[in-house]
Amino acid sequence: MKYNNLRIEEENGITTITINRPKKLNALNRETIEELHDAFDTANKDEDTKVIIVNGSGEKAFVAGADISEFADFDVSEGKKLAAQGQELLFDFVENLSTPVIAAVNGFALGGGLELAMSCHFRVASDNAKMGLPEVSLGVIPGYGGTQRLPQLIGKGRAMEMIMTAGMIDANQALTYGLVNHVTTQDQLLPLCEKIATKISRNSSVAIGAAISAINANFKDGVNGFDIEKQEFGNCFGTEDFEEGTTAFLAKRKADFPGR
Ligand code: COA
């Protein structure tokens, strides 16, 4: 697929997806959401890709939200459809990928932008980043999972305050809240993400996929995370990666995981 709104680079097992609508602060219009779905799906299926990094182009924004101009005249049923389609195509989709996804939050991450960052497996921010869910200032609520993932990540009281005030927090506040794992300079943001990605890529990709599934199970209604952990743990024993990992350890050499 040819992308109008994304740039993709693949190097050393890391695929970097850059959302590229800088004049609109990388706002997520429908086309960008469809392209992101395709790009994440392609990278997840690519055997050479061990980690995916997503960021925004330009120095100002990761993503400044869903594209307001596209939904300003929607009615109730169109609003419901917008949230349902977006969650299925992008936000739930990213959260449940077996390939680790790091959000490199390089500026404004607002509304759908923060929701995209929160769908990723973890977040690293540059020190100019600003994060918030300003939807109630537009007369709507977060519709791409924000009311669910923000309290999961930072606790209910803080999420209530952020959503009700429609305010923004800076990168250091986000670090204190646990919304991002690290804060660095803009220059160092991608290098730091790549350093973490390289460390991840040395481990078993099959086991990492199983760990993502077990961790996510904790947040799913009607699913017992401990049961999923037992199943995923057991399944690991049937993989070539497990055989290689344990054999290499006992032979006192570095494992070279086949990823199967
Ligand atoms: N949807 C559509 N367009 C957006 C957008 C969004 N979420 N966020 C920014 N843009 C557009 C602006 O309309 C402007 O386009 P224009 O140059 O054609 O007028 C361009 O991006 C630059 O934004 P601008 O507002 O001029 O930049 P700023 O530095 O003055 O302000 C923000 C930056 C992020 C504070 C401001 O753009 C903003 O509040 N955006 C909306 C955030 C939001 O409510 N997101 C949640 C949506 S549900």
Side-chain angles (χ1 to χ4, degrees), residues 23-25 27 60 64-68 71 108 110-111 134-135 138:
K23 286 189 184 144
K24 294 289 175 191
L25 303 186
K60 208 164 155 183
D67 192 318
I68 298 166
F71 61 76
F108 287 114
L110 302 174
E135 284 85 349
L138 298 165

Side-chain angles (χ1 to χ4, degrees), residues 236-249 253 257:
C236 289
F237 286 71
T239 66
E240 290 177 40
D241 276 10
F242 174 72
E243 195 182 336
E244 167 61 9
T246 48
T247 306
F249 177 81
R253 63 168 173 82
F257 291 108

Side-chain angles (χ1 to χ4, degrees), residues 29-45:
N29 59 357
R30 192 180 163 75
E31 185 180 51
T32 306
I33 289 182
E34 282 167 3
E35 289 183 3
L36 279 166
H37 173 85
D38 188 83
F40 277 112
D41 191 34
T42 304
N44 189 54
K45 287 176 179 154

Side-chain angles (χ1 to χ4, degrees), residues 214 224-237:
N224 184 322
F226 289 96
D227 285 344
I228 301 293
E229 183 185 89
K230 284 177 224 159
Q231 281 167 31
E232 293 286 5
F233 177 79
N235 289 341
C236 289
F237 286 71

Side-chain angles (χ1 to χ4, degrees), residues 124-170:
V124 180
S126 55
D127 48 18
N128 65 316
K130 291 248 171 21
M131 283 157 259
L133 293 178
E135 284 85 349
V136 298
S137 71
L138 298 165
V140 69
I141 67 167
Y144 288 150
T147 64
Q148 305 305 298
R149 292 193 182 97
L150 190 63
Q152 285 168 5
L153 287 164
I154 70 172
K156 186 175 170 186
R158 286 166 168 170
M160 285 278 189
E161 184 179 339
M162 275 183 73
I163 291 172
M164 288 176 191
T165 59
M168 294 184 210
I169 58 170
D170 65 18

Side-chain angles (χ1 to χ4, degrees), residues 150-225:
L150 190 63
Q152 285 168 5
L153 287 164
I154 70 172
K156 186 175 170 186
R158 286 166 168 170
M160 285 278 189
E161 184 179 339
M162 275 183 73
I163 291 172
M164 288 176 191
T165 59
M168 294 184 210
I169 58 170
D170 65 18
N172 284 321
Q173 187 74 63
L175 185 65
T176 307
Y177 278 7
L179 185 54
V180 303
N181 291 8
H182 308 275
V183 174
T184 185
T185 58
Q186 266 201 305
D187 281 358
Q188 285 305 307
L189 181 61
L190 280 181
L192 175 58
C193 290
E194 284 159 8
K195 195 171 153 197
I196 299 168
T198 301
K199 204 169 168 187
I200 292 171
S201 68
R202 293 194 193 111
N203 298 317
S204 159
S205 55
V206 184
I208 286 170
I212 292 171
S213 151
I215 293 167
N216 281 345
N218 186 33
F219 301 96
K220 290 193 172 141
D221 269 351
V223 176
N224 184 322

